[in-house]
Amino acid sequence: MFDRNKIEAYFLPSYLEPDQLATAGKKFVKKPVFGREGNTVEIYGSNGTKIMEDAGKDYTNYPSLYQEFVELPVREFQSLKGRQLGHYIIGSFLLNGRAGALGIRIGNAITDNLSYFLPVGIGH
């Protein structure tokens, strides 16, 4: 069921135009609606100036989503390269309308295809 209170509580404000975020003086992210792995993602400061972008530009022909920016938390993690610091994000996946998996990515400030990924499946 569609629950506006849960969406407001747990999801970042997102729009199809940057106006609402820019007018409010908020940092925001511009990302393609059909993108992946940080490709074509841009981050804008509260004054509307681009402050960071991914080098990939494969999805510039798709419409964009504008989302309020929240700094990703930084954690130390162990890899084959030794101990490192990385920005991490947790994503969730629905399979046939049911919770199916989590995905944890850790890497650059814009998590990209060089980020480390840990899938966590949920058994049913």
Side-chain angles (χ1 to χ4, degrees):
M1 178 131 211
F2 188 74
D3 187 334
R4 290 181 189 272
N5 293 330
K6 287 181 182 172
I7 291 170
E8 188 174 332
Y10 296 107
F11 286 77
L12 293 170
S14 303
Y15 306 93
L16 296 175
E17 298 290 336
D19 305 351
Q20 188 125 358
L21 295 164
T23 302
K26 302 220 177 201
K27 288 183 175 180
F28 63 92
V29 177
K30 176 184 177 186
K31 53 177 123 177
V33 294
F34 295 113
R36 65 188 186 115
E37 297 178 333
N39 192 310
T40 317
V41 169
E42 300 172 348
I43 300 174
Y44 290 81
S46 56
N47 63 358
T49 303
K50 188 186 311 179
I51 57 175
M52 187 181 306
E53 66 183 320
D54 185 75
K57 301 294 177 213
D58 297 322
Y59 302 103
T60 56
N61 293 330
Y62 290 97
S64 295
L65 177 74
Y66 299 85
Q67 189 172 58
E68 184 175 331
F69 174 79
V70 173
E71 188 80 39
L72 295 177
V74 175
R75 294 287 185 265
E76 186 175 29
F77 68 101
Q78 181 70 37
S79 76
L80 293 175
K81 297 177 185 176
R83 300 200 68 73
Q84 300 180 70
L85 287 177
H87 298 265
Y88 76 93
I89 189 166
I90 299 172
S92 59
F93 300 88
L94 295 177
L95 302 173
N96 295 319
R98 297 180 61 193
L102 299 174
I104 304 165
R105 295 178 70 89
I106 190 164
N108 295 319
I110 297 176
T111 53
D112 55 21
N113 65 351
L114 297 177
S115 299
Y116 293 89
F117 181 71
L118 175 65
V120 181
I122 301 170
H124 289 286

